[in-house]
């Protein structure tokens, strides 16, 4: 086999690959003449024909599966025709990269990715089970997205991006979306001059469109009997059952023996107050908790959503700066209240990072409950916490994004 730099490039050529394992990001791993190849739309154990898309790096190449020579027993007909390998990779819809894999095996692969990340980065091997949400198995992991973003091409037609590109793909259906979202999605309409169309179906008020940068409106989401108000374009969990699942998981993972309702409990990256409310509902109206969020509109909504708790407050600030200022200015009394605190955090995909982890550990809280949407970022931060004396005590993982590689993990850390 020719190698880049000696006999020219292989980019654009088809090669046979034996797929050996799964990697973070929804891609599988193969080798070609000893070089690692990250290949899409494959399953470990398969032999595939893949097209080399990038051979510029010495350490690894990238490729897209174009046909399967020896299929895994876990391969199924893709849940979304627009994303199947029957289409050219350049116009293969993104956002359902595990749709060709049986749902139970998708979870097995996600467990492997999470376990491998924790072993490699945090040097621990916890028991990992990715839990399904009720009803998902019965519909093959479809019909769960209450929010979806469509992009608009030069002709004005909306659609998803192709996988790993900014090419807009024309599609006729959106099988991962709820029925309400799919019904109003304007896939056959034209929006010249616009860039995005957001389609959402909140708990109340019916499905709606947000065209471009139109004026925002306020919507209501329900979690059990509790209502949360937020901007229609604001952040909310996408799976129709995710908010309730994470509420219950955070409540479950907080150790009640370590929880002090009078301590200076914190909800970092708090959004509109979902997890702060979870803590308040678990431990009563006297619970003190401060929710910190950089989006001022979300903070305004959090203040309203948390108003029934006397000790609850919502502040606007970048968590990195806010917690740094807290650690430098806290009085002895405030530090004593922080030392007994429970800190909940739900950072963005990039994770909390070294500065925030060090600041949290420096406050000496009783326990930390960390909600993560990226297993590698979580593993890195768990390792940082461990170096500062906070070990992983409990873990739960959830398949909040069926037919994609994403998962959500909730862990408890304590000294």
């Amino acid at each position: 086999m020719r190698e880049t730099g000696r006999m020219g490039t292989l980019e654009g050529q088809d090669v046979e690959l034996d797929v050996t394992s799964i990697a973070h990001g929804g891609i599988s791993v193969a080798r070609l003449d000893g070089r690692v190849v990250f290949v899409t739309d494959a399953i470990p154990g398969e032999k595939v024909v893949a097209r080399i898309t990038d051979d510029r790096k010495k350490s690894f190449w990238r490729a897209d599966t174009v046909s399967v020579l020896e299929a895994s027993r876990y391969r199924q007909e893709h849940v979304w025709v627009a994303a199947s390998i029957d289409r050219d990779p350049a116009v293969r819809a993104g956002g359902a990269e595990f749709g060709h894999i049986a749902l139970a095996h998708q979870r097995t692969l996600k467990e492997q990715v999470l376990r491998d990340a924790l072993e490699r980065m945090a040097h621990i091997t916890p028991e990992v089970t990715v839990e399904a949400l009720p009803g998902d198995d019965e519909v093959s992991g479809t019909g769960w997205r209450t929010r979806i973003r469509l992009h608009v091409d030069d002709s004005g037609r909306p659609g998803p991006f192709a996988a790993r590109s900014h090419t807009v793909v024309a599609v006729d259906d959106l099988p991962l979306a709820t029925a309400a979202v799919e019904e109003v999605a304007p896939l056959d309409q034209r929006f010249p001059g616009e860039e995005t169309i957001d389609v959402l179906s909140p708990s109340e008020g019916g499905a709606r469109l947000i065209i471009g940068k139109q004026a925002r409106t306020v919507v209501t989401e329900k979690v059990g009997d509790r209502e949360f108000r937020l901007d229609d374009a604001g952040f909310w969990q996408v799976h129709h059952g995710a908010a309730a699942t994470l509420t219950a998981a955070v409540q479950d993972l907080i150790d009640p023996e370590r929880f002090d309702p009078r301590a200076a409990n914190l909800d970092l990256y708090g959004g509109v107050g979902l997890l702060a409310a979870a803590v308040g509902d678990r431990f009563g109206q006297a619970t003190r908790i401060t929710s910190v969020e950089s989006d001022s509109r979300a903070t305004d909504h959090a203040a309203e959503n948390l108003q029934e708790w006397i000790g609850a407050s919502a502040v606007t600030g970048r968590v990195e700066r806010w917690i740094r200022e807290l650690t430098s200015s806290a009085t002895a009394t405030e530090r004593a209240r922080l030392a007994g605190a429970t800190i909940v955090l739900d950072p963005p995909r990039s994770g909390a990072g070294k500065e925030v982890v060090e600041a949290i550990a420096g406050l000496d809280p009783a326990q930390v409950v960390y909600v993560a949407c990226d297993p590698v970022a979580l593993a890195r931060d768990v390792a940082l916490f461990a170096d500062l004396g906070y070990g992983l005590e409990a873990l739960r993982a959830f398949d909040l994004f069926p037919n994609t590689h994403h998962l959500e993990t909730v862990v408890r850390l304590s000294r």
Side-chain angles (χ1 to χ4, degrees):
M1 184 63 65
R2 294 182 299 168
E3 293 188 3
T4 299
R6 290 190 300 154
M7 300 290 290
T9 180
L10 286 180
E11 190 168 316
Q13 295 192 32
D14 292 352
V15 296
E16 290 187 10
L17 297 174
D18 291 313
V19 182
T20 57
S21 57
I22 193 72
H24 177 51
I27 52 179
S28 295
V29 181
R31 288 186 178 274
L32 185 65
D33 292 344
R35 180 181 278 102
V36 170
V37 181
F38 293 121
V39 57
T40 66
D41 300 307
I43 306 174
E46 292 188 326
K47 179 186 289 290
V48 302
V49 175
R51 186 163 300 149
I52 302 296
T53 59
D54 187 350
D55 64 357
R56 291 170 294 180
K57 295 184 181 295
K58 292 182 178 180
S59 56
F60 65 88
W61 291 350
R62 295 189 181 276
D64 291 325
T65 299
V66 292
S67 65
V68 180
L69 300 177
E70 297 177 11
S72 165
R73 62 190 177 97
Y74 302 112
R75 180 170 284 274
Q76 64 178 13
E77 184 177 348
H78 205 291
V79 298
W80 192 8
V81 172
S84 74
I85 62 169
D86 295 331
R87 298 188 70 164
D88 187 283
V91 291
R92 203 175 283 172
E97 62 278 359
F98 271 8
H100 61 291
I101 307 173
L103 200 53
H105 193 59
Q106 293 180 30
R107 297 183 190 122
T108 298
L109 296 177
K110 294 177 186 186
E111 290 166 2
Q112 291 176 11
V113 169
L114 176 57
R115 189 182 302 111
D116 290 349
L118 289 168
E119 288 179 348
R120 185 177 73 256
M121 305 183 76
H123 308 296
I124 56 175
T125 309
E127 183 175 339
V128 175
T129 300
V130 174
E131 303 174 40
L133 269 63
D136 279 352
D137 285 342
E138 289 76 4
V139 292
S140 301
T142 61
W144 53 268
R145 288 194 70 104
T146 61
R147 285 162 164 74
I148 196 161
R149 168 160 285 187
L150 303 174
H151 302 270
V152 181
D153 66 16
D154 292 340
S155 74
R157 179 165 180 167
F161 279 148
R164 296 164 297 282
S165 86
H166 288 88
T167 300
V168 179
V169 177
V171 299
D172 297 322
D173 62 349
L174 299 168
L176 300 194
T178 63
V181 167
E182 189 167 31
E183 182 178 357
V184 303
L187 298 176
D188 59 351
Q189 299 180 33
R190 294 292 186 271
F191 300 86
E194 301 293 349
E195 294 184 1
T196 59
I197 308 292
D198 290 308
V199 191
L200 65 151
S201 179
S203 301
E204 296 185 352
R208 64 193 66 199
L209 304 180
I210 305 174
I211 300 172
K213 297 179 180 179
Q214 72 182 50
R216 56 194 165 201
T217 60
V218 175
V219 298
T220 299
E221 294 283 4
K222 295 194 70 173
V223 182
D225 295 329
R226 182 167 297 287
E227 293 185 348
F228 293 85
R229 287 169 60 81
L230 65 149
D231 287 353
D232 53 9
F235 175 78
W236 187 255
Q237 292 291 336
V238 174
H239 191 296
H240 59 76
T245 296
L246 293 177
T247 291
V250 167
Q251 292 171 336
D252 175 60
L253 262 67
I254 293 175
D255 181 355
E257 297 298 321
R258 293 193 180 103
F259 187 83
D260 181 358
R262 298 165 298 177
N265 302 297
L266 299 177
D267 170 33
L268 304 180
Y269 312 93
V272 297
L274 173 68
L275 299 184
V279 177
D281 278 336
R282 173 72 174 82
F283 295 101
Q285 290 190 339
T287 299
R288 295 177 179 272
I289 189 163
T290 299
S291 184
V292 184
E293 167 60 46
S294 61
D295 182 341
S296 61
R297 287 286 297 175
T299 302
D300 291 343
H301 289 303
E304 180 181 5
N305 296 332
L306 299 173
Q307 62 184 342
E308 73 180 68
W309 289 281
I310 299 172
S313 62
V315 299
T316 301
R318 290 185 60 83
V319 168
E320 298 86 345
R321 182 181 304 168
W322 186 88
I323 200 166
R324 183 172 63 243
E325 293 175 353
L326 176 66
T327 56
S328 64
S329 63
T331 65
T333 300
E334 290 170 334
R335 283 194 168 276
R337 290 182 58 229
L338 287 162
T342 292
I343 297 180
V344 177
L345 67 156
D346 183 8
R349 193 168 303 282
S350 57
K354 188 171 188 286
E355 180 182 1
V356 172
V357 169
E358 289 180 345
I360 290 173
L363 297 175
D364 198 27
Q367 59 189 323
V368 176
V369 176
Y370 188 136
V371 181
C373 59
D374 185 280
V376 172
L378 171 67
R380 179 205 63 205
D381 288 347
V382 166
L384 292 171
F385 272 114
D387 290 341
L388 298 167
Y390 281 82
L392 189 149
E393 281 192 339
L395 178 151
R396 293 185 70 185
F398 302 94
D399 194 13
L400 300 191
F401 312 92
N403 292 307
T404 82
H405 73 277
H406 299 289
L407 74 155
E408 201 89 3
T409 310
V410 186
V411 302
R412 182 177 72 238
L413 305 152
S414 66
R415 288 199 184 280

